[in-house]
């Protein structure tokens, strides 16, 4: 019998966790003993399951309550009856440890492959359980919201007024009527003034839950706040232009002003607003938008805003959500920002704005101070998708909850456990906890009744907050940890900019892997964009997703490094590991435009070595030398932000996206150098010969630089002042 591997340090310092496995009434080929052997072969910190249960949620519920007796976390391999187990735990006295629920049924146990490959399913089960045993992510700062239930219902009167009636007992309602369809019959205001009613054209909505600011413009001559609902105006209007909502049909009105006289001392009618609309505003906690067009154009509107339009189903769903949004709320601050390495802008020039462009919530904006550009993220608008962190080439903005190191540890645990248990060709399927989880669940249930193949045994689902929150660093790290492929599941809910950004990132990953020697038809990272479970089933079954791994990574040992907080550091670790075992024939791998690796070319004839590019470079890829005019570059530091290209006054720089695997990429390489120009008075070097020659050519024809002034262009700044004073000229005075 071979000796057991030594447990990791973390395992030695932490208690194990009771683990409960259930075959769900004998519908899955669960073997607790075999899964236990697989867990013992890894460094998992959970207990091996003691037995295979078959009806844990029913007649064997005692095994669950017995597991609750200890102080350790409990792992239950069932999500179907999560609510039942939670209720039992709540009734069990003294339970303080969390319960972790793992789905092994829909994610593989009901698949056709589980019956054919028992060993693979066993390895998959062990891997999913091991991940469940990891500690929770470190806490992060939170973003607070407060809502007192002050809701603005905005939209056509026929839609807004009925919903105001329904919601007024639970929420503080204000109605903004933006239109009226008179053909739909009589519609009147409530007999009692139960809530404010405004009328006008919506101008602007901004803010978020608890802090919405709304501006509208009112052209209605009748001030609804002053109006007493006496109906005197309706009685006297000869055109019948005033309805029971006290809106004047300006097309029908003949400007006779009988209504003004009838209103009398109430003074609620003022026709001056027709030509000079009244600008009004208000603050609200919630917005219920029943207009056809939403007030927010971005894909992800702020929390607290619900657009339903004319759809009755969406209106009902939104109304129920509104009722739940009264009180104090908090969410994690999903991001961290390090301005010092941000490549957004220098010297008044915009370089990288990838995060601004990809944000679907309009939470990121550009800001400038003293010619230096950075980005500002509004935490209350951030929805935690993480797309900005994936698009960022430098790692200036990073995902915080969970962090990259935590995600890396999760992937490493998953893949190492799977491999230790005898699993092969692991595919990491990244999906979100909304529509992605739903599709996987639907696929698993379809497989149970023979309508689908189900999730393949070697496909390991990993739920993330959003599919866009992972990028090149985690993908490549996972490939070095032993993943055959990384599959990213997109659904119809994903914003278009997410799709475009992820497609670009995947193209970079594929170019890297093929440049390292992967077969042309072997794709290490793949996007799966589907709308239903049937399509997902077909896509997962294809060889380019779940087929056996070919190429150099099949025999590559798993990497041991840990994912770092710094994005570029993780990328360096992963690329170095891949390069050591790759079959690349070329040291330089061309990459698509937009890749975060590369070099630059410099037109030496145009370049004056002014070093504006050096001052603009945020990653210290470009260097100069104090003793002589030299422009040098450390290629591995370059993030291809383009600031050097946009800053160069001579347009002498062009970006070259590529990955240089040679040692030269980590060394300072000279791009341009020139002979220094020496002052004609003191012989001190103060510029380059090319720069002075160019300056003389550009300014020589100007009258202000004729005669002695032209000679001063050849002097250093000190000698230039001395020469002017000797000729009786005052420095700085106009010629």
């Amino acid at each position: 019998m071979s000796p057991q591997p030594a447990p990791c340090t973390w395992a030695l310092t932490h208690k194990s966790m009771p683990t409960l496995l259930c075959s769900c009434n004998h519908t899955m080929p669960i073997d607790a003993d075999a899964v236990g052997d697989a867990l013992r072969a890894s460094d998992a910190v959970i207990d091996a399951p003691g037995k295979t249960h078959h009806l844990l949620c029913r007649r064997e519920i005692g095994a669950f309550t017995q597991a609750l007796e200890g102080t350790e976390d409990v792992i239950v391999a069932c999500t179907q009856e999560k609510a039942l187990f939670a209720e039992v735990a709540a009734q069990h006295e003294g339970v303080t440890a969390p319960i972790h629920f793992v789905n092994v049924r829909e994610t593989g146990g009901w698949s056709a492959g589980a019956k054919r490959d028992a060993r693979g399913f066993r390895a998959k089960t062990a891997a999913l359980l091991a991940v469940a045993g990891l500690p929770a992510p470190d806490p992060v700062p939170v973003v607070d919201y407060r809502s007192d239930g002050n809701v603005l219902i905005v939209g056509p009167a026929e839609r807004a007024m009925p919903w105001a009636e329904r919601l007024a007992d639970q929420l503080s309602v204000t109605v903004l009527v933006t239109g009226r369809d008179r053909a739909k019959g009589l519609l009147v205001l409530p007999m009692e003034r139960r809530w404010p009613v405004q009328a006008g054209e919506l101008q602007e909505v901004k803010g978020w839950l608890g802090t919405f600011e709304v501006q509208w413009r009112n052209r209605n001559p009748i001030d609804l706040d002053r109006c007493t609902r006496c109906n005197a105006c309706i009685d006297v209007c000869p055109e019948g232009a005033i309805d029971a909502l006290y809106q004047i049909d300006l097309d029908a009105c003949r400007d006779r002003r009988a209504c003004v006289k009838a209103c009398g001392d109430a003074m609620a009618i003022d026709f001056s607003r027709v030509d000079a609309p009244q600008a009004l505003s208000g603050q609200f906690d919630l917005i219920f938008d029943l207009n056809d067009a939403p007030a927010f154009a971005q894909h992800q509107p702020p929390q607290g805003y619900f657009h339903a339009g004319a759809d009755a189903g969406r209106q009902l769903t939104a109304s129920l959500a509104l009722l739940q949004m009264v009180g104090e709320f908090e969410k994690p601050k999903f991001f961290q920002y390090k301005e010092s390495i941000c490549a957004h802008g220098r010297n008044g020039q915009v370089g990288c704005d990838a995060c601004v462009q990809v944000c679907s919530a309009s939470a990121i904006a550009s800001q400038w101070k003293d010619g230096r550009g950075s980005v500002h993220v509004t935490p209350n608008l951030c929805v935690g998708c993480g797309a900005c962190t994936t698009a960022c080439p430098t790692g200036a903005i990073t995902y915080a909850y969970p962090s990259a190191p935590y995600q890396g540890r999760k992937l490493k645990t998953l893949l190492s456990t799977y491999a230790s248990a005898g699993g092969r060709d692991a595919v990491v399927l990244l999906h979100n906890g909304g529509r992605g989880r739903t599709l996987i669940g639907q696929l698993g249930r379809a497989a149970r009744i023979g309508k689908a193949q189900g999730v393949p045994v070697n496909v390991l689902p990993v739920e993330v907050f959003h599919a866009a929150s992972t990028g090149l660093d985690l993908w490549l790290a996972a490939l070095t940890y032993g993943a055959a492929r990384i599959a990213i599941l997109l659904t119809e809910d994903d914003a278009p900019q997410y799709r475009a950004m992820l497609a670009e990132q995947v193209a970079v990953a594929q170019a890297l892997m093929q440049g390292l020697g992967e077969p042309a038809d072997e794709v290490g990272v793949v996007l799966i964009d589907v709308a239903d479970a049937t399509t997902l089933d077909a896509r997962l079954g294809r060889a380019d997703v779940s087929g056996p791994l070919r190429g150099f990574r099949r025999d590559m040992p798993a990497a041991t490094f840990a994912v770092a907080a710094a994005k570029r550091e993780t990328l360096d670790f992963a690329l170095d590991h891949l390069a050591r075992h790759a079959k690349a024939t070329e040291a330089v791998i061309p990459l698509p435009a937009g890749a975060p690796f590369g070099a630059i070319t410099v037109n030496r004839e145009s370049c004056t070595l002014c070093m504006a590019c050096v001052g603009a470079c945020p990653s210290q890829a470009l260097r100069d030398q104090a003793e002589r005019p030299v422009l040098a570059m450390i290629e591995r530091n370059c993030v291809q932000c383009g600031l050097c290209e946009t800053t160069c006054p001579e347009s002498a720089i062009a970006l070259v996206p590529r990955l240089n695997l040679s040692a030269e990429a980590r060394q300072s390489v000279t791009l341009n150098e020139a002979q220094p120009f020496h002052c004609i008075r003191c012989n001190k070097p103060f510029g380059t010969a090319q720069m002075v020659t160019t300056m003389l050519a550009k300014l020589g024809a100007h009258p202000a630089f004729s005669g002695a002034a032209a000679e001063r262009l050849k002097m250093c700044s000190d000698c230039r002042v001395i020469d002017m004073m000797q000729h009786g000229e005052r420095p700085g005075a106009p010629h």
Side-chain angles (χ1 to χ4, degrees):
M1 183 176 178
S2 59
Q4 294 291 326
C8 65
T9 304
W10 193 90
L12 290 173
T13 58
H14 288 71
K15 294 181 178 180
S16 56
M17 305 176 187
T19 306
L20 301 173
L21 274 178
C22 181
S23 72
C24 197
N25 199 22
H26 302 279
T27 59
M28 289 188 290
I30 291 284
D31 185 340
D33 291 334
V35 172
D37 292 340
L39 287 169
R40 283 186 286 270
S42 69
D43 289 337
V45 297
I46 63 176
D47 281 345
K51 63 175 292 188
T52 304
H53 299 281
H54 303 292
L55 282 172
L56 183 65
C57 60
R58 298 295 186 266
R59 71 185 182 196
E60 296 174 284
I61 193 69
F64 173 69
T65 57
Q66 184 178 356
L68 298 176
E69 298 292 341
T71 58
E72 301 87 4
D73 295 10
V74 177
I75 299 174
V76 179
C78 174
T79 54
Q80 166 69 37
E81 299 295 335
K82 181 178 179 179
L84 172 66
F85 288 118
E87 183 179 351
V88 171
Q91 297 174 356
H92 196 78
E93 188 175 348
V95 176
T96 58
I99 303 169
H100 306 271
F101 298 95
V102 183
N103 186 349
V104 300
R105 192 179 74 176
E106 282 84 0
T107 60
W110 277 352
S111 70
K115 301 173 184 177
R116 297 191 303 266
D117 184 4
R119 182 179 183 185
F121 177 59
R122 187 164 64 239
K124 179 177 187 173
T125 302
L128 295 176
L129 293 173
V131 169
L134 292 175
D138 293 334
V140 295
V142 297
V143 181
D144 296 316
Y145 300 89
R146 178 181 175 84
S147 168
D148 295 323
N150 182 14
V151 59
L152 176 68
I153 304 176
V154 55
E158 295 76 23
R159 303 175 193 173
M161 299 304 293
W163 276 112
E165 290 275 5
R166 298 181 185 119
L167 296 175
D169 290 337
Q170 292 85 24
L171 301 172
S172 178
V173 169
T174 299
V175 175
L176 175 58
V177 175
T178 58
R180 171 81 169 96
D181 187 354
R182 296 173 184 269
K184 292 190 175 182
L186 182 64
L187 186 66
V188 300
L189 291 175
M191 294 297 295
E192 300 177 6
R193 195 186 294 270
R194 295 179 59 196
W195 58 79
V197 180
Q198 302 286 343
E201 302 169 1
L202 192 63
Q203 297 296 296
E204 184 182 28
V205 181
K206 58 183 181 181
W208 50 82
L209 175 65
T211 65
F212 286 107
E213 296 180 10
V214 183
Q215 297 180 6
W216 66 94
R217 188 173 61 177
N218 183 16
R219 296 180 71 243
N220 181 27
I222 301 178
D223 186 338
L224 295 177
D225 282 336
R226 286 180 172 270
C227 178
T228 64
R229 281 63 163 174
C230 68
N231 296 331
C233 57
I234 298 177
D235 291 340
V236 301
C237 181
E239 296 90 11
I242 306 176
D243 64 8
L245 289 176
Y246 309 102
Q247 303 291 298
I248 298 179
D249 185 349
L250 297 175
D251 293 329
C253 178
R254 295 294 178 264
D255 201 27
R256 296 179 182 178
R257 302 298 192 267
C259 57
V260 178
K261 184 177 179 179
C263 188
D265 290 340
M267 296 188 294
I269 305 179
D270 182 1
F271 275 84
S272 67
R273 285 199 288 270
V274 175
D275 298 320
Q278 185 181 14
L280 300 169
S281 63
Q283 294 185 338
F284 305 93
D285 299 321
L286 303 160
I287 306 290
F288 190 12
D289 190 350
L290 301 173
N291 284 317
D292 292 332
F296 290 95
Q298 62 262 35
H299 184 271
Q300 184 66 56
Q303 295 189 59
Y305 171 85
F306 299 88
H307 177 258
D311 189 304
R314 292 175 61 188
Q315 291 175 6
L316 178 59
T317 301
S319 68
L320 295 174
L322 284 165
L323 296 174
Q324 302 300 314
M325 302 202 73
V326 179
E328 296 183 357
F329 307 90
E330 64 181 32
K331 69 176 182 182
K333 185 180 178 183
F334 288 102
F335 65 93
Q336 291 180 339
Y337 177 59
K338 189 175 181 180
E339 183 179 347
S340 62
I341 60 173
C342 179
H344 182 59
R346 298 286 196 281
N347 303 333
Q349 300 291 326
V350 176
C352 174
D353 65 347
C355 60
V356 178
Q357 296 299 323
V358 81
C359 182
S360 69
S362 297
I364 308 179
S366 174
Q367 60 181 16
W368 291 84
K369 184 179 180 181
D370 298 329
R372 183 183 178 96
S374 60
V375 297
H376 174 71
V377 185
T378 303
N380 295 86
L381 290 176
C382 174
V383 295
C385 67
C388 57
T389 67
T390 299
C392 179
T394 66
I397 189 165
T398 56
Y399 205 67
Y401 191 78
S403 66
Y406 182 87
Q407 292 280 50
R409 180 178 177 183
K410 186 175 178 179
L411 291 171
K412 195 174 187 178
T413 299
L414 180 80
L415 292 165
S416 64
T417 304
Y418 181 76
S420 297
R424 294 186 62 84
D425 302 314
V427 178
V428 176
L429 177 62
L430 299 172
H431 67 91
N432 63 38
R435 182 61 176 159
R437 181 200 295 169
T438 299
L439 284 177
I440 291 172
Q442 291 173 348
L443 177 56
R445 290 189 289 277
R448 174 69 183 93
I449 59 176
K451 300 297 185 181
Q453 291 296 304
V455 181
V457 166
N458 65 321
V459 174
L460 310 177
V462 175
E463 186 172 311
V464 293
F465 193 79
H466 198 284
S469 65
T470 64
L472 275 176
D473 53 340
L474 285 170
W475 300 344
L476 296 182
L479 293 181
T480 68
Y481 292 157
R485 292 173 200 87
I486 307 298
I488 304 146
L489 177 58
L490 299 178
T491 69
E492 68 273 17
D493 294 338
D494 294 307
Q497 54 264 54
Y498 294 167
R499 286 185 162 82
M501 181 272 296
L502 285 170
E504 292 175 358
Q505 296 281 317
V506 168
V508 172
Q510 292 175 354
L512 282 168
M513 298 309 298
Q514 290 182 15
L516 289 167
E518 290 272 80
D521 58 347
E522 181 70 58
V523 181
V525 184
V526 59
L527 283 179
I528 298 177
D529 192 348
V530 297
D532 54 61
T534 301
T535 311
L536 177 60
D537 189 43
R539 193 72 179 87
L540 290 178
R542 285 173 43 175
D544 65 331
V545 176
S546 57
L549 177 63
R550 299 178 294 111
F552 72 89
R553 287 190 293 114
R554 186 164 187 84
D555 301 317
M556 183 180 73
T560 59
F561 68 86
V563 168
K567 184 175 189 175
R568 301 292 293 193
E569 187 176 340
T570 300
L571 285 169
D572 282 346
F573 286 151
L575 289 169
D576 287 347
H577 184 86
L578 290 167
R580 280 198 301 273
H581 301 281
K583 298 179 179 179
T585 58
E586 300 291 338
V588 177
I589 301 172
L591 297 177
F597 311 100
I600 65 172
T601 60
V602 177
N603 186 331
R604 296 194 176 196
E605 294 183 1
S606 302
C607 175
T608 62
L609 289 168
C610 67
M611 302 303 173
C613 56
V614 176
C617 182
S619 60
Q620 299 184 336
L622 295 177
R623 311 288 182 95
D624 61 0
Q625 293 187 13
E627 61 275 9
R628 61 192 184 97
V630 174
L631 174 63
M633 181 180 195
I634 299 178
E635 185 173 336
R636 200 64 177 264
N637 291 353
C638 180
V639 298
Q640 295 283 284
C641 66
L643 274 171
C644 56
E645 186 179 35
T646 57
T647 301
C648 180
E650 289 84 24
S651 300
I653 294 177
L655 301 179
V656 183
R658 69 184 195 183
L659 178 65
N660 190 343
L661 298 174
S662 70
E664 187 181 71
R666 301 179 185 273
Q667 301 169 357
S668 181
V669 177
T670 299
L671 300 178
N672 194 16
E673 60 182 331
Q675 293 297 320
F677 188 89
H678 296 267
C679 175
I680 59 176
R681 281 182 64 109
C682 69
N683 203 40
K684 180 176 70 175
F686 72 94
T688 69
Q690 185 176 358
M691 180 182 69
V692 175
T693 301
T694 301
M695 184 171 55
L696 290 170
K698 291 181 178 180
L699 302 178
H702 197 282
F705 295 97
S706 60
E711 290 300 299
R712 292 187 189 119
L713 294 175
K714 305 175 185 177
M715 302 176 188
C716 65
S717 58
D718 293 337
C719 291
R720 198 175 299 132
V721 172
I722 294 171
D723 187 74
M724 292 181 70
M725 295 179 66
Q726 288 178 345
H727 287 80
E729 300 177 27
R730 183 165 57 88
H735 293 282

